[in-house]
Amino acid sequence: MESRKALEMTELLTAAQMRAIEQAAIESGQVTGLELMERAGHGVVEAVFEEWPELAAAPSKAAVLCGPGNNGGDGFVVARLLKEWGWEVEVYLFGDPARLPPDAKANHDRWCDLGPVRPYVNEGSDAFWLEPDAWREETLIIDALFGTGLTRPVEHFGAFGWATQLSGWRGDGQPIGGDAYPHSRVVAVDMPSWFSSDSGAHLGRDNPARFDLVAAVRPMKLGQFTGALPAHVAAVAPVEIGLPAPEEAVRLIGPPEGLSKPAGTAAHKYTQGHALVLSGGAGRTGAARLAARAALRVGAGLVTLGAPDDAQAECAAQLTAVMLREIGEGGALAAALEDRRLDALCLGPGLGVDERGAGLVAAALASGRRAVLDADALTLLSDPERGLFASLHGGCLLTPHMGEFARLFPDLARRVMEEAAEGYSRVDAVRAAAARAGCTVLLKGADTVVADPSGDVALNAALYERAAPWLATAGAGDVLAGLAAGLMARGRAPARAATAAAWLHVEAARRVGPGLIAEDLSEALPA
């Protein structure tokens, strides 16, 4: 079993992509469907034993819930392997065994040599097969009902969500209801049932189920790292079955390379790039100062803060290594940009949405320089009367949160809300936004998505064991903008700078931990 580190830099697929590579592998003769099913079942058991070593040491009890497709076939393999390990295993099937796909039917029949298969739903009624008290036992519950194939709500499953929430969830290490209610462990095979594998949307009609572990078949699915699903899953473990990922897969962002390597032995501050961060007026400089310090910490050789006259004293009292320059209106910025050694700009944090701010954004875009546009700059871009959106170019990086994204791209944000159940995800929306804007877009969130105009997409997942909820603090987004600007000043293309900045942002937050304030992020970067 691969360690959790293997999640870094992995590829994420849609359900259609996964079906295509499975079919291609089978048709080429590289592997049979039965072999893939066997590998998946072994991987699930290995993932369970790695997550809970005590379960490998002594046989326990499992309830395996099998569905009508190949995910159910994986479940029959898991049941057989646990039975051979000495476990007490009960198997339940949703559907008619005679209508199972051939490979799933073969594994159903193999299980039947070891034990019975009970119906998931009681015959002649809508009643759930298991009484609530049974969920309060120390039982391993295996969800092998639907996998990647589910695209719509299914009847009879509200009780599953209710029962798993009653049984408790280890998301915080504590059972729901306290010690009075012993709790089951709930494990999903590949995809938790009732969630879209493309968007992570919940497809059930009642309370979503809770899952202690998702044993995710590789290549892994986009829905495991976006949408509603991560809020209902404690951990994800990759299961290798020997299938390659297609080139067009979404990339899960891993550690950036070469951040601490200057360009050659003759490197000096001017070879490491010069970033210019634009500030608001007096009393509104803090956000820009956070961005400027982040740009310096991430390796820009020089960082200048451009502020109007009334903010000069305020900034000078706070800055040391960051330089200060008076830049009031757009004309002053245009004059400053005659110096070609200014490599990248950062506009938006504390900038203001008045005529001054609009003039600075217009001048920055007219220069053609690489530029990070965040916060107030995004608000200005979303105003159709100003017409700034049309001036975006390939050197720009937009860094909206979902509210700002909705102002910039209202139709795409609406589709994320209204069509998630049909598989339309944040990834789809950001890819479309980047194509429309003609520049890179970074949509912030626990599942940060980065897309460039070519359609390449990457996802930075601050989820599961990599969660950093304390990043939800004032100024954290300003630091992210500064990180990206510093990396762009060093010569990285906007998309590469955005993915590196997103990864560093989370890792710095995790190093600091709870109690983090935005100022801590830049100081955690050297480590």
Side-chain angles (χ1 to χ4, degrees), residues 11 25 31 73 108 130 148 160-161 198 274 298 312 355 368 386 394 411 435 437 466 485 489-490 499 501 507 511:
E11 295 84 8
V31 69
H108 166 273
L130 202 55
T148 62
F160 183 89
D198 291 347
H274 189 168
V298 85
Q312 290 286 303
E355 290 304 315
R386 295 191 183 274
D411 57 323
R466 196 169 174 262
R490 293 183 63 179
T499 57
E507 290 305 304
R511 182 167 288 272

PDB file of all heavy atoms in Angstrom, residues 11 25 31 73 108 130 148 160-161 198 274 298 312 355 368 386 394 411 435 437 466 485 489-490 499 501 507 511:
ATOM      1  N   GLU A  11      -2.943  12.323 -10.522  1.00  0.00           N
ATOM      2  CA  GLU A  11      -3.906  12.797 -11.515  1.00  0.00           C
ATOM      3  C   GLU A  11      -5.318  12.480 -11.051  1.00  0.00           C
ATOM      4  O   GLU A  11      -5.569  11.449 -10.427  1.00  0.00           O
ATOM      5  CB  GLU A  11      -3.653  12.139 -12.871  1.00  0.00           C
ATOM      6  CG  GLU A  11      -2.325  12.505 -13.509  1.00  0.00           C
ATOM      7  CD  GLU A  11      -1.164  11.672 -13.011  1.00  0.00           C
ATOM      8  OE1 GLU A  11      -1.415  10.691 -12.267  1.00  0.00           O
ATOM      9  OE2 GLU A  11      -0.020  11.980 -13.354  1.00  0.00           O
ATOM     10  N   ALA A  25      -7.617  -0.664 -21.442  1.00  0.00           N
ATOM     11  CA  ALA A  25      -6.687  -1.650 -20.879  1.00  0.00           C
ATOM     12  C   ALA A  25      -7.201  -3.069 -21.083  1.00  0.00           C
ATOM     13  O   ALA A  25      -6.431  -3.986 -21.403  1.00  0.00           O
ATOM     14  CB  ALA A  25      -6.471  -1.366 -19.391  1.00  0.00           C
ATOM     15  N   VAL A  31      -4.893  -6.530 -19.281  1.00  0.00           N
ATOM     16  CA  VAL A  31      -5.472  -6.961 -18.020  1.00  0.00           C
ATOM     17  C   VAL A  31      -6.917  -7.357 -18.275  1.00  0.00           C
ATOM     18  O   VAL A  31      -7.532  -6.925 -19.257  1.00  0.00           O
ATOM     19  CB  VAL A  31      -5.390  -5.809 -16.979  1.00  0.00           C
ATOM     20  CG1 VAL A  31      -6.324  -4.662 -17.357  1.00  0.00           C
ATOM     21  CG2 VAL A  31      -5.667  -6.304 -15.562  1.00  0.00           C
ATOM     22  N   GLY A  73     -18.970  -5.705  -7.395  1.00  0.00           N
ATOM     23  CA  GLY A  73     -18.028  -6.798  -7.578  1.00  0.00           C
ATOM     24  C   GLY A  73     -16.790  -6.619  -6.734  1.00  0.00           C
ATOM     25  O   GLY A  73     -16.267  -7.580  -6.146  1.00  0.00           O
ATOM     26  N   HIS A 108     -19.535 -12.561  -7.136  1.00  0.00           N
ATOM     27  CA  HIS A 108     -20.714 -12.885  -6.331  1.00  0.00           C
ATOM     28  C   HIS A 108     -20.783 -14.388  -6.108  1.00  0.00           C
ATOM     29  O   HIS A 108     -20.982 -14.868  -4.975  1.00  0.00           O
ATOM     30  CB  HIS A 108     -21.970 -12.387  -7.050  1.00  0.00           C
ATOM     31  CG  HIS A 108     -23.254 -12.944  -6.509  1.00  0.00           C
ATOM     32  ND1 HIS A 108     -23.782 -14.151  -6.948  1.00  0.00           N
ATOM     33  CD2 HIS A 108     -24.152 -12.465  -5.595  1.00  0.00           C
ATOM     34  CE1 HIS A 108     -24.913 -14.397  -6.325  1.00  0.00           C
ATOM     35  NE2 HIS A 108     -25.164 -13.382  -5.496  1.00  0.00           N
ATOM     36  N   LEU A 130     -31.009  -3.171   7.932  1.00  0.00           N
ATOM     37  CA  LEU A 130     -30.293  -3.276   9.192  1.00  0.00           C
ATOM     38  C   LEU A 130     -30.909  -2.351  10.216  1.00  0.00           C
ATOM     39  O   LEU A 130     -31.129  -1.180   9.946  1.00  0.00           O
ATOM     40  CB  LEU A 130     -28.824  -2.899   8.973  1.00  0.00           C
ATOM     41  CG  LEU A 130     -27.786  -3.401   9.976  1.00  0.00           C
ATOM     42  CD1 LEU A 130     -27.840  -4.906  10.112  1.00  0.00           C
ATOM     43  CD2 LEU A 130     -26.398  -2.971   9.533  1.00  0.00           C
ATOM     44  N   THR A 148     -18.198   5.052  -9.083  1.00  0.00           N
ATOM     45  CA  THR A 148     -18.184   6.240  -9.943  1.00  0.00           C
ATOM     46  C   THR A 148     -19.420   6.369 -10.804  1.00  0.00           C
ATOM     47  O   THR A 148     -19.598   7.383 -11.476  1.00  0.00           O
ATOM     48  CB  THR A 148     -16.961   6.215 -10.874  1.00  0.00           C
ATOM     49  OG1 THR A 148     -17.044   5.059 -11.717  1.00  0.00           O
ATOM     50  CG2 THR A 148     -15.670   6.191 -10.090  1.00  0.00           C
ATOM     51  N   PHE A 160     -29.140   4.890   5.185  1.00  0.00           N
ATOM     52  CA  PHE A 160     -27.687   4.719   5.271  1.00  0.00           C
ATOM     53  C   PHE A 160     -27.039   5.980   5.822  1.00  0.00           C
ATOM     54  O   PHE A 160     -26.214   5.930   6.731  1.00  0.00           O
ATOM     55  CB  PHE A 160     -27.116   4.369   3.896  1.00  0.00           C
ATOM     56  CG  PHE A 160     -25.640   4.111   3.914  1.00  0.00           C
ATOM     57  CD1 PHE A 160     -25.147   2.843   4.158  1.00  0.00           C
ATOM     58  CD2 PHE A 160     -24.736   5.133   3.693  1.00  0.00           C
ATOM     59  CE1 PHE A 160     -23.781   2.602   4.175  1.00  0.00           C
ATOM     60  CE2 PHE A 160     -23.375   4.908   3.708  1.00  0.00           C
ATOM     61  CZ  PHE A 160     -22.899   3.632   3.951  1.00  0.00           C
ATOM     62  N   GLY A 161     -27.417   7.127   5.268  1.00  0.00           N
ATOM     63  CA  GLY A 161     -26.862   8.373   5.764  1.00  0.00           C
ATOM     64  C   GLY A 161     -27.216   8.600   7.220  1.00  0.00           C
ATOM     65  O   GLY A 161     -26.377   8.993   8.027  1.00  0.00           O
ATOM     66  N   ASP A 198     -17.627  13.348 -10.389  1.00  0.00           N
ATOM     67  CA  ASP A 198     -17.107  14.450 -11.192  1.00  0.00           C
ATOM     68  C   ASP A 198     -17.102  15.782 -10.454  1.00  0.00           C
ATOM     69  O   ASP A 198     -16.184  16.583 -10.611  1.00  0.00           O
ATOM     70  CB  ASP A 198     -17.921  14.607 -12.482  1.00  0.00           C
ATOM     71  CG  ASP A 198     -17.704  13.454 -13.447  1.00  0.00           C
ATOM     72  OD1 ASP A 198     -16.760  12.665 -13.239  1.00  0.00           O
ATOM     73  OD2 ASP A 198     -18.488  13.327 -14.406  1.00  0.00           O
ATOM     74  N   HIS A 274      12.006  41.634  -9.903  1.00  0.00           N
ATOM     75  CA  HIS A 274      11.568  42.798  -9.138  1.00  0.00           C
ATOM     76  C   HIS A 274      10.044  42.857  -9.198  1.00  0.00           C
ATOM     77  O   HIS A 274       9.460  42.965 -10.281  1.00  0.00           O
ATOM     78  CB  HIS A 274      12.188  44.059  -9.746  1.00  0.00           C
ATOM     79  CG  HIS A 274      11.989  45.289  -8.918  1.00  0.00           C
ATOM     80  ND1 HIS A 274      12.673  46.469  -9.169  1.00  0.00           N
ATOM     81  CD2 HIS A 274      11.201  45.550  -7.828  1.00  0.00           C
ATOM     82  CE1 HIS A 274      12.303  47.379  -8.275  1.00  0.00           C
ATOM     83  NE2 HIS A 274      11.408  46.849  -7.456  1.00  0.00           N
ATOM     84  N   VAL A 298       9.292  34.788  -0.765  1.00  0.00           N
ATOM     85  CA  VAL A 298       9.256  33.676  -1.717  1.00  0.00           C
ATOM     86  C   VAL A 298      10.403  33.737  -2.710  1.00  0.00           C
ATOM     87  O   VAL A 298      10.572  32.846  -3.527  1.00  0.00           O
ATOM     88  CB  VAL A 298       7.890  33.616  -2.430  1.00  0.00           C
ATOM     89  CG1 VAL A 298       7.824  34.542  -3.637  1.00  0.00           C
ATOM     90  CG2 VAL A 298       7.529  32.178  -2.815  1.00  0.00           C
ATOM     91  N   GLN A 312       2.684  57.430   2.565  1.00  0.00           N
ATOM     92  CA  GLN A 312       4.126  57.220   2.582  1.00  0.00           C
ATOM     93  C   GLN A 312       4.666  57.043   4.005  1.00  0.00           C
ATOM     94  O   GLN A 312       5.436  56.114   4.275  1.00  0.00           O
ATOM     95  CB  GLN A 312       4.832  58.391   1.901  1.00  0.00           C
ATOM     96  CG  GLN A 312       4.626  58.447   0.390  1.00  0.00           C
ATOM     97  CD  GLN A 312       5.428  57.383  -0.329  1.00  0.00           C
ATOM     98  OE1 GLN A 312       6.653  57.313  -0.200  1.00  0.00           O
ATOM     99  NE2 GLN A 312       4.751  56.540  -1.079  1.00  0.00           N
ATOM    100  N   GLU A 355     -11.746  55.850  -8.570  1.00  0.00           N
ATOM    101  CA  GLU A 355     -11.118  56.184  -9.850  1.00  0.00           C
ATOM    102  C   GLU A 355      -9.611  55.942  -9.817  1.00  0.00           C
ATOM    103  O   GLU A 355      -9.016  55.546 -10.822  1.00  0.00           O
ATOM    104  CB  GLU A 355     -11.421  57.640 -10.214  1.00  0.00           C
ATOM    105  CG  GLU A 355     -12.877  57.890 -10.588  1.00  0.00           C
ATOM    106  CD  GLU A 355     -13.333  56.986 -11.718  1.00  0.00           C
ATOM    107  OE1 GLU A 355     -12.585  56.828 -12.710  1.00  0.00           O
ATOM    108  OE2 GLU A 355     -14.443  56.422 -11.614  1.00  0.00           O
ATOM    109  N   GLY A 368       1.190  45.455 -20.277  1.00  0.00           N
ATOM    110  CA  GLY A 368       1.476  44.093 -20.699  1.00  0.00           C
ATOM    111  C   GLY A 368       2.308  43.302 -19.724  1.00  0.00           C
ATOM    112  O   GLY A 368       2.655  42.145 -19.989  1.00  0.00           O
ATOM    113  N   ARG A 386     -16.655  49.996 -16.653  1.00  0.00           N
ATOM    114  CA  ARG A 386     -15.252  50.416 -16.727  1.00  0.00           C
ATOM    115  C   ARG A 386     -14.532  49.753 -17.905  1.00  0.00           C
ATOM    116  O   ARG A 386     -13.514  50.254 -18.366  1.00  0.00           O
ATOM    117  CB  ARG A 386     -14.530  50.092 -15.419  1.00  0.00           C
ATOM    118  CG  ARG A 386     -15.072  50.890 -14.232  1.00  0.00           C
ATOM    119  CD  ARG A 386     -14.162  50.750 -13.031  1.00  0.00           C
ATOM    120  NE  ARG A 386     -14.684  51.445 -11.864  1.00  0.00           N
ATOM    121  CZ  ARG A 386     -14.503  52.720 -11.586  1.00  0.00           C
ATOM    122  NH1 ARG A 386     -13.827  53.479 -12.444  1.00  0.00           N
ATOM    123  NH2 ARG A 386     -14.990  53.260 -10.486  1.00  0.00           N
ATOM    124  N   GLY A 394      -2.519  37.288 -21.445  1.00  0.00           N
ATOM    125  CA  GLY A 394      -1.997  36.006 -20.978  1.00  0.00           C
ATOM    126  C   GLY A 394      -1.041  36.090 -19.815  1.00  0.00           C
ATOM    127  O   GLY A 394      -0.771  35.071 -19.161  1.00  0.00           O
ATOM    128  N   ASP A 411     -22.533  33.495 -14.783  1.00  0.00           N
ATOM    129  CA  ASP A 411     -23.146  32.315 -15.379  1.00  0.00           C
ATOM    130  C   ASP A 411     -22.421  31.039 -14.981  1.00  0.00           C
ATOM    131  O   ASP A 411     -23.048  30.002 -14.722  1.00  0.00           O
ATOM    132  CB  ASP A 411     -23.182  32.449 -16.907  1.00  0.00           C
ATOM    133  CG  ASP A 411     -21.798  32.660 -17.502  1.00  0.00           C
ATOM    134  OD1 ASP A 411     -20.968  33.362 -16.893  1.00  0.00           O
ATOM    135  OD2 ASP A 411     -21.525  32.110 -18.597  1.00  0.00           O
ATOM    136  N   ALA A 435     -10.487  30.393 -20.125  1.00  0.00           N
ATOM    137  CA  ALA A 435     -10.610  30.524 -21.581  1.00  0.00           C
ATOM    138  C   ALA A 435     -11.279  31.843 -21.941  1.00  0.00           C
ATOM    139  O   ALA A 435     -10.864  32.532 -22.888  1.00  0.00           O
ATOM    140  CB  ALA A 435     -11.404  29.344 -22.139  1.00  0.00           C
ATOM    141  N   ALA A 437     -11.413  34.679 -20.083  1.00  0.00           N
ATOM    142  CA  ALA A 437     -10.597  35.833 -19.708  1.00  0.00           C
ATOM    143  C   ALA A 437      -9.297  35.899 -20.499  1.00  0.00           C
ATOM    144  O   ALA A 437      -8.674  36.963 -20.575  1.00  0.00           O
ATOM    145  CB  ALA A 437     -10.287  35.776 -18.218  1.00  0.00           C
ATOM    146  N   ARG A 466      -4.264  17.054   5.128  1.00  0.00           N
ATOM    147  CA  ARG A 466      -3.601  18.299   4.750  1.00  0.00           C
ATOM    148  C   ARG A 466      -4.500  19.517   4.999  1.00  0.00           C
ATOM    149  O   ARG A 466      -4.198  20.613   4.552  1.00  0.00           O
ATOM    150  CB  ARG A 466      -3.189  18.210   3.275  1.00  0.00           C
ATOM    151  CG  ARG A 466      -2.160  19.259   2.865  1.00  0.00           C
ATOM    152  CD  ARG A 466      -1.561  18.990   1.488  1.00  0.00           C
ATOM    153  NE  ARG A 466      -0.706  20.109   1.100  1.00  0.00           N
ATOM    154  CZ  ARG A 466      -1.070  21.096   0.306  1.00  0.00           C
ATOM    155  NH1 ARG A 466      -2.287  21.117  -0.225  1.00  0.00           N
ATOM    156  NH2 ARG A 466      -0.236  22.074   0.022  1.00  0.00           N
ATOM    157  N   ALA A 485       2.886  36.788  -7.014  1.00  0.00           N
ATOM    158  CA  ALA A 485       3.583  37.896  -7.671  1.00  0.00           C
ATOM    159  C   ALA A 485       5.100  37.739  -7.564  1.00  0.00           C
ATOM    160  O   ALA A 485       5.835  38.009  -8.526  1.00  0.00           O
ATOM    161  CB  ALA A 485       3.145  39.224  -7.057  1.00  0.00           C
ATOM    162  N   ALA A 489       7.625  37.348 -10.666  1.00  0.00           N
ATOM    163  CA  ALA A 489       8.779  38.230 -10.840  1.00  0.00           C
ATOM    164  C   ALA A 489      10.041  37.427 -11.092  1.00  0.00           C
ATOM    165  O   ALA A 489      10.936  37.862 -11.829  1.00  0.00           O
ATOM    166  CB  ALA A 489       8.950  39.115  -9.606  1.00  0.00           C
ATOM    167  N   ARG A 490      10.115  36.252 -10.504  1.00  0.00           N
ATOM    168  CA  ARG A 490      11.275  35.387 -10.695  1.00  0.00           C
ATOM    169  C   ARG A 490      11.247  34.667 -12.043  1.00  0.00           C
ATOM    170  O   ARG A 490      12.157  33.897 -12.338  1.00  0.00           O
ATOM    171  CB  ARG A 490      11.347  34.356  -9.569  1.00  0.00           C
ATOM    172  CG  ARG A 490      11.642  34.945  -8.212  1.00  0.00           C
ATOM    173  CD  ARG A 490      11.780  33.879  -7.144  1.00  0.00           C
ATOM    174  NE  ARG A 490      12.909  32.994  -7.410  1.00  0.00           N
ATOM    175  CZ  ARG A 490      13.251  31.982  -6.616  1.00  0.00           C
ATOM    176  NH1 ARG A 490      12.551  31.721  -5.518  1.00  0.00           N
ATOM    177  NH2 ARG A 490      14.283  31.219  -6.913  1.00  0.00           N
ATOM    178  N   THR A 499       0.205  27.676  -8.965  1.00  0.00           N
ATOM    179  CA  THR A 499       0.184  26.357  -8.323  1.00  0.00           C
ATOM    180  C   THR A 499       1.221  26.285  -7.212  1.00  0.00           C
ATOM    181  O   THR A 499       0.951  25.745  -6.130  1.00  0.00           O
ATOM    182  CB  THR A 499       0.420  25.240  -9.350  1.00  0.00           C
ATOM    183  OG1 THR A 499       1.659  25.463 -10.033  1.00  0.00           O
ATOM    184  CG2 THR A 499      -0.707  25.170 -10.355  1.00  0.00           C
ATOM    185  N   ALA A 501       2.405  28.834  -5.467  1.00  0.00           N
ATOM    186  CA  ALA A 501       1.948  29.703  -4.383  1.00  0.00           C
ATOM    187  C   ALA A 501       0.859  29.028  -3.560  1.00  0.00           C
ATOM    188  O   ALA A 501       0.857  29.112  -2.322  1.00  0.00           O
ATOM    189  CB  ALA A 501       1.443  31.023  -4.953  1.00  0.00           C
ATOM    190  N   GLU A 507       1.148  24.813   3.043  1.00  0.00           N
ATOM    191  CA  GLU A 507       2.211  24.212   3.834  1.00  0.00           C
ATOM    192  C   GLU A 507       2.698  25.158   4.929  1.00  0.00           C
ATOM    193  O   GLU A 507       2.997  24.729   6.048  1.00  0.00           O
ATOM    194  CB  GLU A 507       3.368  23.804   2.925  1.00  0.00           C
ATOM    195  CG  GLU A 507       3.044  22.625   2.020  1.00  0.00           C
ATOM    196  CD  GLU A 507       2.570  21.406   2.798  1.00  0.00           C
ATOM    197  OE1 GLU A 507       3.312  20.946   3.702  1.00  0.00           O
ATOM    198  OE2 GLU A 507       1.460  20.927   2.516  1.00  0.00           O
ATOM    199  N   ARG A 511       2.456  24.458   8.972  1.00  0.00           N
ATOM    200  CA  ARG A 511       3.616  24.537   9.854  1.00  0.00           C
ATOM    201  C   ARG A 511       3.313  25.403  11.078  1.00  0.00           C
ATOM    202  O   ARG A 511       3.750  25.094  12.189  1.00  0.00           O
ATOM    203  CB  ARG A 511       4.815  25.095   9.091  1.00  0.00           C
ATOM    204  CG  ARG A 511       6.092  25.160   9.910  1.00  0.00           C
ATOM    205  CD  ARG A 511       7.288  25.403   9.033  1.00  0.00           C
ATOM    206  NE  ARG A 511       7.606  24.227   8.240  1.00  0.00           N
ATOM    207  CZ  ARG A 511       8.396  23.235   8.649  1.00  0.00           C
ATOM    208  NH1 ARG A 511       8.919  23.272   9.857  1.00  0.00           N
ATOM    209  NH2 ARG A 511       8.647  22.217   7.873  1.00  0.00           N
TER     210      ARG A 511
END
